[in-house]
Amino acid sequence: MQKRKKMDMTSYHQKYFRPSCLKALNLRFDNWEFFSPFSEKAHDQINLPPELTRTPEDTILNYFSVLREAENMGARSCGTVGQARTPFPIAYNFLSKEYQKILSYDDYLKSFAGIGHTSLIKLFRVPNRKKEIKFFYELETIEGFIDKRAEYFGYSYGYIQLIHEKEGFRISSLSKFEEDFLCAPYHGWNHDGESVLEVKYGSWCKLIQQMYPTAKDGYFKNIYFHGTDGADYCFIFVTLTNGTDVEIAQYRKVNNGSWIQVYMNPEKECLTENPLQ
């Protein structure tokens, strides 16, 4: 009798939970043993092992790995989903003490209403002159509600800031924006990086003298132009799952000098009224 091959759990998760082509990044705790010591504890009874938060990257990857199989969508006909609500009290302890004062555990739990599975599909550190620890992320979630017997995939993105506390790096703020799949086809210019620059810095600010070819690397876009002020500019965008380009950073270079990060706001600097409002 032929021996049955042991199931590759990574392939299993990718097959059933991942319709997109990007690999999930939050796969650190692909076992039941990690959650067992926390299963009967409330959020204020949990102390995270220090190795989970030694670096900013560890904190974020471990945070989303804990949340990967967290479920807050009501009873499902197939029985228990993932680790049910066990991961939420653990994940809450990745937040800084000050952040927890602003966001109670009950409100934190409510923010996951309708979510049954979470895959982290994009993560990178955002450059900034203030030396803040800031990351960009994108999530793919399986969502559904008890009054609608169907699940669907949702996509969102945002920014995470971290600080170092005595116990390690903790999340001090987290923003989240839901992605839409209808606005871009009908109102495309504000979703496409090249068009954004041509409209805002060309038509509004009269700053573009010549656009250069866009350099693409995976989901990153580096868009260059030569300015009417004699300087060169580079804008970095990241492309979301829904095709929208999100601006991440701006750089300016004069003659043969170095690229210097800048922070320009065309709505405030070039217009008296914001046409997007």
Side-chain angles (χ1 to χ4, degrees), residues 216-265:
K216 295 183 179 181
D217 182 13
Y219 50 76
F220 287 102
K221 272 186 179 182
N222 285 12
I223 307 176
Y224 300 86
F225 68 83
H226 185 69
T228 53
D229 59 353
D232 286 314
Y233 291 86
C234 173
F235 284 69
I236 300 176
F237 287 81
V238 61
T239 302
L240 303 175
T241 299
N242 70 349
T244 294
D245 294 330
V246 176
E247 183 185 311
I248 298 300
Q250 311 169 354
Y251 293 90
R252 184 176 186 267
K253 181 174 72 172
V254 179
N255 299 324
N256 293 321
S258 302
W259 287 106
I260 304 297
Q261 190 171 5
V262 295
Y263 300 90
M264 298 185 292
N265 188 337

Side-chain angles (χ1 to χ4, degrees), residues 147-196:
D147 58 347
K148 187 175 183 181
R149 306 304 299 176
E151 286 82 35
Y152 49 89
F153 287 90
Y155 295 86
S156 58
Y157 70 96
Y159 299 90
I160 300 175
Q161 285 190 256
L162 299 97
I163 60 171
H164 188 269
E165 294 185 336
K166 184 180 178 181
E167 299 85 1
F169 288 92
R170 293 293 191 275
I171 296 169
S172 58
S173 71
L174 188 151
S175 63
K176 182 180 178 182
F177 307 98
E178 305 293 338
E179 296 178 34
D180 72 78
F181 289 80
L182 289 175
C183 285
Y186 297 101
H187 309 281
W189 78 263
N190 199 37
H191 298 258
D192 174 72
E194 289 86 350
S195 298
V196 167

Side-chain angles (χ1 to χ4, degrees), residues 73-108:
M73 58 195 300
R76 314 309 293 165
S77 59
C78 61
T80 302
V81 172
Q83 299 289 337
R85 295 192 177 187
T86 297
F88 292 119
I90 308 171
Y92 187 69
N93 280 275
F94 281 87
L95 308 186
S96 70
K97 290 181 173 61
E98 287 301 314
Y99 197 13
Q100 288 181 352
K101 290 178 183 178
I102 299 170
L103 181 65
S104 70
Y105 177 72
D106 287 341
D107 288 338
Y108 177 76

Side-chain angles (χ1 to χ4, degrees), residues 206-223:
K206 313 299 181 189
L207 183 60
I208 297 178
Q209 184 177 92
Q210 180 184 357
M211 292 284 293
Y212 295 122
T214 297
K216 295 183 179 181
D217 182 13
Y219 50 76
F220 287 102
K221 272 186 179 182
N222 285 12
I223 307 176

Side-chain angles (χ1 to χ4, degrees), residues 26 29 35 62-71 87-88 91-92 108 112 115-119 139:
N26 55 331
F29 309 126
F35 295 94
N62 289 328
Y63 172 72
F64 283 114
S65 292
V66 168
L67 286 174
R68 184 182 70 246
E69 294 190 23
E71 175 268 317
F88 292 119
Y92 187 69
Y108 177 76
F112 291 91
I115 292 178
H117 193 86
T118 298
S119 293
L139 299 178

